[in-house]
Amino acid sequence: MTLELIPVARPRAYPPRVSAFTQTFWEGLGAGRWQTTCCEACGKFTFPPKPVCPHCWSDRMHWKDLGERGTLYSWTRIHAAPKVFVDEAPYAVCVVDLDIGLRIATRLVERPDKPCQCGMPVELVVLQYEDGPLLASRPL
Ligand SMILES: [Zn+2]
C-alpha cells in the first residue's frame, strides 16, 4: 500500500533532520511508504519512529507498514505564519487519529469540495517537495 505523492515545486521550508535511524522512514516516505516502529515486546506503535519503546523500554523495535486512513481530530488554517513558512501561507495543519491508535500532526491538504470538519475521515498523502517528502493529510 503506497500513499499518493503530490508534487510541490519548492524545497521544504524547514526540512527535517535525518538521522541514521530515521533514514529508513524518510527514504520510504519518499516512495510513498508509510511506516513507523512497533515494539516486539508490548506490540505498541510509536511515532515518530524510535529505537527504544517509550511504553516498556524494550529495544526490540521493528518497522511496520501502516494504513493510510484516519479521523480528523482538529485542524486550523495558518494566515500569520512563522517567518520560515511565510511563503507558504495561508496553509492548514491538523491532528489526525490513525486507525491503529496513533495521534499525529501533519500538514492538511484542503479540498474545495470537502470543507474540513472535526471527525471527518482523512487519508494520508505525501507532499513531494523538491528536496524530499513530508507527510500530509487530506479529507476523503
Ligand atoms: Zn514496548
Side-chain angles (χ1 to χ4, degrees):
M1 182 177 308
T2 57
L3 305 183
E4 181 181 344
L5 303 174
I6 300 173
V8 180
R10 69 172 68 196
R12 292 171 294 185
Y14 193 77
R17 187 178 58 177
V18 178
S19 69
F21 179 75
T22 62
Q23 189 171 2
T24 299
F25 171 79
W26 292 109
E27 286 181 1
L29 191 64
R33 187 172 180 193
W34 165 226
Q35 58 187 336
T36 193
T37 47
C38 184
C39 176
E40 292 179 14
C42 73
K44 292 184 178 172
F45 289 95
T46 57
F47 188 81
K50 295 177 177 62
V52 174
C53 178
H55 306 286
C56 74
W57 304 109
S58 171
D59 62 357
R60 295 183 309 154
M61 304 296 281
H62 66 278
W63 291 93
K64 194 160 184 174
D65 288 329
L66 304 174
E68 79 283 6
R69 300 270 171 107
T71 302
L72 190 61
Y73 174 77
S74 183
W75 74 282
T76 189
R77 190 176 301 121
I78 310 287
H79 292 275
K83 186 175 181 181
V84 72
F85 294 111
V86 161
D87 290 343
E88 296 188 54
Y91 58 88
V93 296
C94 66
V95 175
V96 169
D97 286 332
L98 299 177
D99 296 343
I100 58 166
L102 285 176
R103 178 172 283 174
I104 64 172
T106 73
R107 185 67 67 94
L108 178 62
V109 178
E110 296 182 85
R111 294 175 52 164
D113 60 325
K114 297 207 176 182
C116 294
Q117 292 183 324
C118 295
M120 73 187 310
V122 295
E123 63 180 344
L124 298 178
V125 295
V126 177
L127 297 178
Q128 191 69 295
Y129 287 82
E130 293 171 344
D131 65 332
L134 286 179
L135 189 63
S137 302
R138 181 174 62 190
L140 279 170

